Amino acid sequence: MSYASFPPGPHASYPAPGAPAPGAPRRVRARSVVGTLVVLALLWGLVLVVAHAGLQTVTGQALDEVALAQAKADRNAYFPRPVLVLAQYAPEVIALLAGILALVWAVRYRRWTAALCAAGAVIAANVTTQFLKHGLLDKPDLGIQQIASNSFPSGHTTAAASFLMALLLVAPPHRRARAGRWGAFLAAVVGMLTVVNGWHRPSDAAAAVLVVAGWGLVAALAERLIGFALARTGRARRGSAGAGLRRYREDRSRRRRRLSWREDRGDSAYVPPAHERQAEEREWAASSTGREDPRGGTRNSGEWNDAAQSHAASNGGGQRAASWDRQSPSREAEDGSPWFPARPRTATALILVVLTAVLLAAAVWWPYPTVAGTLAGRITVLAGYLGIAAAAALGWAAVAARLRSPIR
């Protein structure tokens, strides 16, 4: 009786050709570091631009003052008192909930390195904001604003946004898209609430969000470098707190696979002995460019999946083969790991930036005086709100894009 070679089980989707072997140290390319530093310079350069326009120019101070006055007028006209009371405590509540969820994710998914880098980013962002506000930047009294004391950047926005950024940094890959989307949204909401509450002007909140985003990029780069250093020394897999849990999950999945082979075995199906299956698994783990075909040549992951489907269909196991194919990720990153989308999208941030620029240009070149209570005043405060949203979307999109793949 001749036996056909039995195709592998749920692990039939092998790493893509050219991908590193499982457990291999993930490289950090020079272009990834340079690209992160370029984006960091762009974000913090925008902070300096906003600071100069909002603090040192007559037009900037006038637009900020009109937006703040219009926001106060709208608050009294359109928002009931219970909503205003809740808005007073919203930044602290959002920061507290984001910090608790980040801590839960750090413990649940053993994200110790990410948690350490996120904590450093939170501290650094708040210290940077206070240093800029009280030590470095100064607002000259140009006779435009009622209060000439400097409030740039916003401390309330920095505190809440920094914890939301920590949540994105600690989030596991399959939760980053949702953490990034909601983090950017809530950071923008907190910045807008500081304007509605009369605490800060739009430029203060937008600059605070950009400061947090810059430190988020630094934390993402630091986590990648630390992870690479630990992988090179071998401590990442042997000495980490999650190594035991990882080995337990691998052993459990292996036992389930062997049990399914025994249950689905038919009269004409051939199940290799245990030593052959173990040798096959070791060969798969050590392979990075494809698997060796017994008939000569190599087989890639697609050929192995096709062989598994055809063999299972011939033995009445078509549904089983289809389930194996669904378990493999539909898309992979450069290192062979599952690919997850980055949210929010960079295109969304750019659209918000363009809309903000258009509204600001309309407010500056409005033919009539720009004062609160007029159409020009409403355009100005809308431009301020969109500017805060654009800063949040731009910052979170930049960090999420750097976290999407270990190498880039």
Side-chain angles (χ1 to χ4, degrees), residues 39 53 116 140 147 174 249 308 313 335 366 383 403 406:
V39 177
L116 179 63
I147 301 177
H174 65 283
R249 289 177 175 175
D335 63 337
W366 195 258
L403 291 174

Side-chain angles (χ1 to χ4, degrees), residues 221-363:
L221 180 60
E223 178 196 0
R224 192 182 308 177
L225 294 175
I226 293 174
F228 176 71
L230 293 177
R232 287 290 299 271
T233 58
R235 296 179 181 177
R237 295 185 62 85
R238 295 196 304 267
S240 64
L245 179 62
R246 188 185 304 110
R247 288 193 296 270
Y248 167 74
R249 289 177 175 175
E250 292 175 354
D251 294 339
R252 183 177 60 179
S253 63
R254 188 179 298 109
R255 289 194 298 269
R256 288 180 176 177
R257 183 168 61 250
R258 292 175 179 175
L259 180 62
S260 66
W261 283 347
R262 289 197 298 268
E263 292 177 350
D264 296 342
R265 182 173 53 189
D267 295 338
S268 61
Y270 169 67
V271 179
H275 68 277
E276 292 186 9
R277 294 198 302 269
Q278 293 174 1
E280 183 180 283
E281 292 178 0
R282 286 196 298 268
E283 181 184 359
W284 163 72
S287 175
S288 61
T289 59
R291 288 184 59 85
E292 197 174 316
D293 193 344
R295 297 171 298 178
T298 59
R299 281 187 175 185
N300 55 25
S301 59
E303 294 173 347
W304 277 104
N305 289 332
D306 294 341
Q309 293 178 4
S310 61
H311 179 83
S314 63
N315 292 279
Q319 295 180 355
R320 180 69 179 174
S323 65
W324 291 350
D325 185 67
R326 285 196 300 269
Q327 290 180 4
S328 61
S330 59
R331 189 172 181 182
E332 293 181 346
E334 295 181 10
D335 63 337
S337 60
W339 184 94
F340 297 96
R343 295 292 186 274
R345 299 176 183 269
T346 306
T348 304
L350 295 179
I351 292 174
L352 292 175
V353 170
V354 172
L355 291 177
T356 303
V358 171
L359 291 179
L360 283 178

